[in-house]
C-alpha cells in the first residue's frame, strides 16, 4: 500500500467518523405535533382546518369586541411571540393569532408555495374561518409584510395597521441570524434539515435581541422545539429560498388605513432606517422608535412596546 493511499484511507475514515460524531451530537429527528402539543398548545390553543392544514391558533379576550386585533408573527417564530401582548390586551380586546404555515405547530404548506400571494390568501381564509370580517391587523417582520400586502389586497377588511419591524423594502442587514444564512446556502441548507444544533437556535434568537440577557433557556427551547416540528425545517429552507416579487412596493403609498410603524432602534436584521422609509411613504401613519429593543420588540420589551400600541388604538 502506497503512502498516498494510506493518507487517503485515513482521511476518508476521519471524515466518516467526524460525520457520524456530528450526527450523533447535533442530528435531531422531527418531532410530531402530538409530542409538542402538551407544551405548546395548552389552553387557549385550538386548531382549525384550512386547505388540508391543521392551523394552530389562539382566539382570546373580549368576545363582544367587534373589531378584533389579529397578530402575525415573523420568520422562524410562532404565535407565542405575542404571548405577553395578548395577556395585557385581552382584558379589553379580542386578540387572535395563529402559527403561520411553515412555522409553529401548523406545519408547511402542502404545496410548498411560500409566495406573498399565497400567504395573504391564507390570512383571508383564516379570518373567514374565525368569522372575522374586519380587524386591526398587526405583524412583525415577515408577519408585517403579510399584513401590509393583505391590506393592499383587502383594504375593506383592515381598520388599522400595525407594522412591527416589518419587511418589504430591499434589506441591507447589519447582521443576519445564522439559521437564515444557512437556509439560503446551497448544500448547507440540505444538511440543516437534519443537523440542527440547539446552539444555532440560541445564536439566531440572540441575533434579533438587543438585550441578550433576556434570551432565556425556556425561550431558546421554544424556538428549537418548534423548529423540529415535522416538516418545518424543509419549510424554513423553502420559504427563505422563495423569490419574492416587489410588485406591490409602489402601492404602499396608497394605504389609507391609520398605521403604526413600531421599530426597535437596535434592529440589526431590518435596520431602523426602514422605519423612516415607511414613515415617509405611508400617508397616514404614526412612528414609534424603541431605543433599547431589537427586531422583536413585542417579545423582548413587551410592556414598553405595547404603550405606543395602546395610544394608537385610542386614536380615532
Amino acid at each position: 500500500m502506497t503512502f498516498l493511499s494510506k493518507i487517503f484511507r485515513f482521511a476518508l475514515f476521519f471524515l466518516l467518523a467526524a460525520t457520524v460524531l456530528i450526527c450523533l451530537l447535533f442530528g435531531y429527528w422531527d418531532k410530531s405535533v402530538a409530542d409538542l402539543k402538551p407544551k405548546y398548545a395548552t389552553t387557549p390553543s385550538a386548531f382549525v382546518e384550512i386547505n388540508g392544514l391543521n392551523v394552530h391558533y389562539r382566539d382570546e379576550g373580549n368576545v363582544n369586541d367587534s373589531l378584533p386585533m389579529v397578530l402575525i408573527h415573523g420568520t422562524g417564530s410562532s404565535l407565542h411571540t405575542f404571548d405577553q401582548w395578548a395577556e395585557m390586551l385581552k382584558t379589553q380586546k379580542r386578540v387572535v393569532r395563529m402559527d403561520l404555515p411553515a412555522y409553529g405547530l401548523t406545519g408547511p404548506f402542502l404545496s410548498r408555495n411560500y409566495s406573498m400571494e399565497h400567504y395573504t390568501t391564507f390570512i383571508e381564509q383564516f379570518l373567514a374561518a374565525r368569522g372575522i370580517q374586519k380587524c386591526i391587523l398587526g405583524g412583525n417582520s415577515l408577519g408585517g409584510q403579510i399584513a401590509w400586502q393583505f391590506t393592499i389586497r383587502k383594504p375593506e377588511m383592515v381598520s388599522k395597521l400595525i407594522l412591527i419591524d416589518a419587511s418589504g423594502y430591499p434589506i441591507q442587514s447589519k447582521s443576519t441570524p445564522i439559521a437564515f444564512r444557512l437556509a439560503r446556502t446551497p448544500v448547507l441548507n440540505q444538511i440543516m434539515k437534519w443537523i440542527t444544533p440547539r446552539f444555532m437556535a440560541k445564536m439566531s434568537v440572540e441575533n434579533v435581541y438587543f438585550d441578550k440577557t433576556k434570551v432565556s433557556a425556556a425561550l431558546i427551547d421554544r424556538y428549537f422545539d418548534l423548529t423540529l416540528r415535522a416538516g418545518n425545517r424543509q419549510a424554513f429552507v423553502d420559504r427563505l429560498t422563495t423569490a419574492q416579487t416587489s410588485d406591490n412596493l409602489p402601492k404602499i403609498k396608497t394605504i389609507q388605513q391609520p398605521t403604526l410603524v413600531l421599530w426597535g432602534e437596535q434592529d440589526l436584521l431590518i435596520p431602523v432606517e426602514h422605519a423612516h422609509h415607511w414613515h415617509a411613504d405611508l400617508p397616514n401613519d404614526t412612528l414609534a422608535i424603541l431605543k433599547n429593543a431589537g427586531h422583536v420588540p413585542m417579545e423582548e420589551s413587551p410592556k414598553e412596546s405595547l404603550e405606543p400600541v395602546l395610544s394608537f388604538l385610542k386614536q380615532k
Side-chain angles (χ1 to χ4, degrees):
M1 183 179 295
T2 66
F3 177 74
L4 287 177
S5 64
K6 287 182 179 179
I7 292 294
F8 176 77
R9 291 184 63 182
F10 176 79
L12 182 61
F13 174 79
F14 179 81
L15 180 62
L16 290 173
T19 301
V20 170
L21 182 62
I22 289 171
C23 289
L24 288 173
L25 291 175
F26 303 122
Y28 292 91
W29 296 107
D30 285 342
K31 292 189 176 184
S32 70
V33 174
D35 288 337
L36 293 167
K37 271 185 177 182
K39 189 172 183 180
Y40 299 108
T42 54
T43 304
S45 282
F47 290 81
V48 60
E49 194 276 330
I50 297 176
N51 283 346
L53 288 182
N54 205 20
V55 178
H56 177 220
Y57 73 95
R58 291 186 176 180
D59 187 341
E60 51 194 322
N62 182 1
V63 295
N64 296 316
D65 185 4
S66 61
L67 198 62
M69 192 167 182
V70 177
L71 300 171
I72 312 173
H73 67 79
T75 300
S77 191
S78 66
L79 59 77
H80 300 281
T81 195
F82 290 107
D83 277 351
Q84 294 184 72
W85 268 24
E87 190 64 29
M88 292 182 280
L89 283 166
K90 67 183 184 181
T91 57
Q92 302 175 31
K93 297 291 298 175
R94 178 185 174 191
V95 185
V96 183
R97 50 208 164 111
M98 81 302 292
D99 284 344
L100 287 172
Y103 308 111
L105 295 178
T106 295
F109 275 128
L110 301 182
S111 64
R112 296 175 65 178
N113 177 0
Y114 295 99
S115 65
M116 278 298 113
E117 183 179 2
H118 203 200
Y119 267 127
T120 55
T121 297
F122 166 79
I123 294 298
E124 184 179 0
Q125 293 169 334
F126 175 80
L127 294 179
R130 298 306 306 143
I132 298 172
Q133 297 179 348
K134 195 166 188 175
C135 66
I136 298 166
L137 188 60
N140 170 240
S141 194
L142 165 66
Q145 184 172 13
I146 294 170
W148 69 258
Q149 296 256 18
F150 181 84
T151 302
I152 289 171
R153 178 176 172 177
K154 290 287 181 179
E156 72 279 5
M157 296 186 69
V158 180
S159 172
K160 289 186 174 183
L161 180 62
I162 301 172
L163 301 178
I164 312 159
D165 297 69
S167 58
Y169 296 108
I171 299 173
Q172 291 185 333
S173 300
K174 296 178 181 177
S175 181
T176 304
I178 185 172
F180 287 39
R181 298 198 300 270
L182 290 176
R184 294 187 175 111
T185 305
V187 180
L188 291 181
N189 58 13
Q190 300 306 307
I191 295 173
M192 74 176 291
K193 290 186 288 187
W194 299 101
I195 299 174
T196 315
R198 184 179 180 277
F199 71 76
M200 188 166 72
K202 180 177 184 291
M203 292 170 64
S204 294
V205 177
E206 287 180 342
N207 188 271
V208 296
Y209 270 59
F210 168 64
D211 185 350
K212 316 302 183 193
T213 65
K214 294 182 178 180
V215 180
S216 66
L219 181 67
I220 298 165
D221 284 344
R222 188 186 80 210
Y223 276 92
F224 182 56
D225 287 343
L226 293 176
T227 294
L228 299 182
R229 189 270 193 213
N232 277 2
R233 284 180 283 185
Q234 176 67 64
F236 188 83
V237 172
D238 288 344
R239 203 204 68 77
L240 285 175
T241 53
T242 296
Q244 301 293 344
T245 65
S246 57
D247 295 349
N248 279 334
L249 284 179
K251 298 179 183 178
I252 288 172
K253 295 181 180 182
T254 70
I255 294 175
Q256 297 300 314
Q257 285 79 355
T259 303
L260 173 64
V261 178
L262 179 64
W263 224 270
E265 189 174 52
Q266 308 302 325
D267 188 346
L268 301 180
L269 180 59
I270 308 181
V272 70
E273 289 79 11
H274 286 249
H276 297 287
H277 199 164
W278 283 105
H279 184 49
D281 281 354
L282 289 166
N284 188 17
D285 79 296
T286 300
L287 178 63
I289 306 294
L290 302 169
K291 289 187 176 297
N292 298 311
H295 185 63
V296 286
M298 68 289 171
E299 185 177 282
E300 182 180 3
S301 303
K303 290 182 179 179
E304 295 83 354
S305 60
L306 190 59
E307 287 178 7
V309 174
L310 294 174
S311 297
F312 175 69
L313 294 178
K314 292 176 182 176
Q315 295 175 13
K316 298 300 183 181

